[in-house]
Amino acid sequence: MQVPKPDIIDPYAYPPRAFDLAAAARYLGLTPAAFSALVRVGQLPFARQLGVTAVWDRLALNAAFEVASADEVRPDGKPAQKRRGTPAMSKEWPGYHNVYTPETLADRWQCSGNHIRNMIKRGDLAGFQYGGKLLRISAAVVAAYENADTGKARDR
């Protein structure tokens, strides 16, 4: 019996750092439509703009998956018992522990809310607008930024 070859063969010996929409969805085992829906609701990070291409950071996707993996399901598809520690997220949204406001993130990082807003404007940190005006930062993006091996994360 002959083993079928995959449609796409990556010629590199290391994993890519950035993915386009189709590759990012495939990386998480999702369809592009399901992936886009999760990005829209803030469960997955937004894309970064590199030139004219929108790409997703592999490390940010890994962090988002780790946050989402707390919602495990049993083999029969029913939700497993939730095992969550005390969340350290938004004080203003007590039921929603997957986002930060600029102020709550500033408390965590011991800086000002304006510094967080400026980081988002510069593109150093991905944020999104909730309800058209309210600025929020996904916990997955924060985790990816804190875990990133960059000078930016250490120089705070």
Side-chain angles (χ1 to χ4, degrees):
M1 177 178 193
Q2 190 154 359
V3 177
K5 292 183 179 180
D7 293 338
I8 298 174
I9 297 174
D10 191 356
Y12 303 108
Y14 50 87
R17 175 65 192 262
F19 298 112
D20 64 4
L21 174 64
R26 189 172 55 246
Y27 181 69
L28 293 179
L30 300 170
T31 65
F35 182 88
S36 296
L38 291 172
V39 169
R40 276 193 302 278
V41 298
Q43 284 191 295
L44 291 176
F46 285 97
R48 293 182 179 200
Q49 196 74 27
L50 288 179
V52 295
T53 307
V55 295
W56 279 265
D57 181 24
R58 177 175 46 88
L59 300 178
L61 292 175
N62 288 342
F65 183 78
E66 288 300 319
V67 170
S69 68
D71 297 328
E72 297 170 349
V73 294
R74 298 187 315 221
D76 61 3
K78 294 182 180 176
Q81 245 184 349
K82 300 228 178 192
R83 294 170 288 156
R84 295 186 184 204
T86 305
M89 304 294 174
S90 176
K91 295 173 190 167
E92 294 131 21
W93 292 19
Y96 296 88
H97 304 296
N98 59 346
V99 294
Y100 287 94
T101 65
E103 286 72 26
T104 56
L105 184 56
D107 287 344
R108 178 183 175 106
W109 287 353
Q110 298 178 352
C111 62
S112 71
N114 284 335
H115 179 69
I116 301 297
R117 287 182 187 86
N118 288 335
M119 289 176 70
I120 293 169
K121 284 179 189 174
R122 284 192 313 262
D124 294 341
L125 188 66
F128 64 95
Q129 288 188 337
Y130 179 79
K133 289 189 177 184
L134 303 173
L135 188 58
R136 300 292 181 255
I137 303 99
S138 167
V141 169
V142 172
Y145 187 86
E146 290 176 344
N147 294 331
D149 189 20
T150 65
K152 292 177 188 174
R154 287 190 298 271
D155 291 342
R156 278 191 276 110

